[in-house]
Amino acid sequence: ILIIRPSALGDVCRTVPVLVSLRQRYPHAEIDWLVQDTFAAAIEAHPDLTGIVSFPRSRLAHWWRSPGRLLELRRWAGDLRRRSYDLVIDCQGLGRSGAMSRYTGAVQRIGLRNAREFAWLGYTLRVESPDGPGEVIHTVDEMLLLVEAIGIEPVRDMRLYVKEDHMRWWDQRRNELAFGEQPYVVVAPGSRWPGKNWPIERFVQLIEPLLMRGLARMVIVGSKEETSQVRPLVEANAKFTEPVVIDMTGQSSIGQSMAVIAGAGLVIANDSAPLHMAVGLGRRCVGLFGPTNPARVGPYRLPHAVVRGSVNADAHFKDDDAGEAMMRTMSHVAVVQCVDRIIAMKTPVTVHDHRSPQASLNEPKTNGPHAIAPTAKGPAS
């Protein structure tokens, strides 16, 4: 069996219920995942996965301009076909993934009927998805329609797994940063699209309220390209006797970033991959949304973990000005109030509907190094 979901990173993270559903139905099958090489670390430790088919997207970009790249692409595609898959499920639904599906030569190739860029031409079974006016289906549920279409019961298990060496790296790094076992909050102020970013000065306004709630450090995660963007957060350290903001942007791999998130008492992020990692790792989280619809792409089955700015139905997340205007209407007070709700909740923080022994990940930690103390002051004002 082959799952095709090359990108984007957040989408890769929330595709794991498809993998788990397939493994539950076919416990002895070989189940591979075709994923962009730079994102493989997000899923490589999952116990239900047999292997990874790595897609070197950047190296094969613009293949038509280079005979060498064209030859490499042909070799890659030939290797894909020689794997002789019986069943292929395209969870991406774009022209490239549809072509990959078709090229495998698998007898059964499944995708959505409304897949974009004529991707549906690559499928032998085209699955209907609710797409009428006013109908919104979460992307996780939409992907699970693909397995339901062939009689497989969906298992909504969002769990992600972190490699032990990445966890050891973070333990060592925390000691080097001199905050050891103190609880901390992870913030991800960036995203690929500027229109999805909450103003950085609002993140600065969160520092003191989060300190009051028992989170001793704020750890920033993000790509190297976001280093200059988060500078106001780092400069806020000048207000404190010791550094409370730890800048990890561009300093950790995907696997290492997952280790950072896995140890967090709380994660606050825009609509970006770290938010969906937090869901998969069972962490308390708050998602900040503007032009993207949380009912469609928000933290799965966690509507209480969402803060959204004013809604402009005509705005698109690629429209920077419209998106930024929506995100700017979201106050730091509203975010702190959501944090207080999350801290006060005693119910599971994420969706894992099968299998132990990892069931302990469901429960918020109430003691130990990652505990969060409920504030006695109530919502910030």
Side-chain angles (χ1 to χ4, degrees):
I1 303 173
L2 178 67
I3 298 168
I4 298 180
R5 185 83 214 202
S7 61
L9 181 55
D11 292 323
V12 170
C13 292
R14 60 188 174 206
T15 302
V16 294
V18 173
L19 169 64
V20 178
S21 300
L22 289 166
R23 177 58 68 199
Q24 285 289 95
R25 175 63 180 82
Y26 302 113
H28 305 297
E30 292 185 10
I31 306 177
D32 293 344
W33 189 317
L34 193 160
V35 63
Q36 189 171 309
D37 53 356
T38 51
F39 298 152
I43 54 169
E44 64 182 354
H46 201 291
D48 287 344
L49 188 63
T50 304
I52 286 176
V53 178
S54 180
F55 176 58
R57 180 178 178 180
S58 61
R59 199 165 73 242
L60 296 180
H62 308 300
W63 53 266
W64 58 90
R65 298 179 183 175
S66 166
R69 288 181 182 175
L70 175 59
L71 180 60
E72 185 175 358
L73 176 60
R74 291 185 64 180
R75 287 173 179 162
W76 181 88
D79 177 69
L80 179 64
R81 193 174 186 89
R82 283 190 294 273
R83 292 172 180 263
S84 301
Y85 291 107
D86 302 295
L87 169 63
V88 171
I89 298 183
D90 180 10
C91 296
Q92 187 95 2
L94 294 176
R96 181 175 64 248
S97 61
M100 292 170 176
S101 300
R102 185 178 181 86
Y103 202 81
T104 63
V107 173
Q108 200 168 22
R109 306 185 301 272
I110 304 171
L112 293 173
R113 185 177 294 278
N114 63 356
R116 291 178 287 166
E117 301 171 355
F118 300 99
W120 48 268
L121 290 172
Y123 311 145
T124 60
L125 175 60
R126 298 160 189 166
V127 180
E128 295 286 353
S129 174
D131 60 357
E135 291 189 77
V136 179
I137 181 172
H138 197 282
T139 54
V140 172
D141 292 319
E142 188 173 54
M143 287 185 288
L144 287 172
L145 291 175
L146 300 176
V147 297
E148 287 185 273
I150 54 173
I152 296 175
E153 182 179 354
V155 182
R156 290 173 170 81
D157 187 331
M158 302 291 291
R159 274 177 292 186
L160 298 171
Y161 296 80
V162 184
K163 294 173 69 174
E164 285 295 330
D165 57 339
H166 292 146
M167 295 300 293
R168 286 193 295 269
W169 167 85
W170 179 233
D171 287 341
Q172 180 180 347
R173 192 79 181 94
R174 287 177 69 175
N175 289 329
E176 292 170 355
L177 293 167
F179 71 100
E181 295 299 308
Q182 291 179 301
Y184 61 94
V185 56
V186 168
V187 297
S191 70
R192 182 182 175 188
W193 304 101
K196 297 199 293 185
N197 289 347
W198 197 40
I200 194 65
E201 62 269 19
R202 304 283 170 81
F203 281 98
V204 175
Q205 291 176 303
L206 293 180
I207 297 174
E208 292 190 44
L210 292 173
L211 287 174
M212 291 172 58
R213 285 152 177 80
L215 294 156
R217 296 291 187 275
M218 174 182 283
V219 181
I220 314 171
V221 296
S223 67
K224 185 178 181 180
E225 291 72 27
E226 295 166 11
T227 302
S228 59
Q229 176 190 341
V230 305
R231 188 169 295 123
L233 261 176
V234 181
E235 291 173 348
N237 274 326
K239 297 166 55 178
F240 303 95
T241 56
E242 61 178 353
V244 298
V245 179
I246 310 296
D247 184 12
M248 296 292 294
T249 53
Q251 299 180 44
S252 58
S253 66
I254 288 175
Q256 290 169 340
S257 294
M258 289 174 68
V260 176
I261 291 169
L266 178 70
V267 176
I268 303 175
N270 301 316
D271 178 15
S272 59
L275 177 63
H276 303 296
M277 289 178 179
V279 173
L281 293 167
R283 299 300 86 199
R284 288 184 172 96
C285 61
V286 174
L288 311 177
F289 283 77
T292 51
N293 186 352
R296 172 75 176 163
V297 295
Y300 186 57
R301 293 191 169 183
L302 297 172
H304 54 276
V306 170
V307 183
R308 195 178 190 190
S310 63
V311 178
N312 177 356
D314 297 324
H316 192 275
F317 68 88
K318 293 184 181 180
D319 182 340
D320 294 347
D321 292 338
E324 289 172 1
M326 291 176 68
M327 295 298 286
R328 192 165 288 279
T329 64
M330 192 190 315
S331 72
H332 83 284
V333 174
V335 175
V336 172
Q337 289 173 338
C338 185
V339 168
D340 285 334
R341 289 197 303 272
I342 296 296
I343 290 175
M345 291 183 68
K346 301 300 182 184
T347 54
V349 294
T350 190
V351 179
H352 306 138
D353 72 357
H354 95 303
R355 288 188 321 193
S356 291
Q358 291 282 339
S360 59
L361 283 177
N362 290 357
E363 300 299 330
K365 294 191 178 184
T366 55
N367 51 51
H370 309 310
I372 313 176
T375 173
K377 300 178 180 296
S381 59

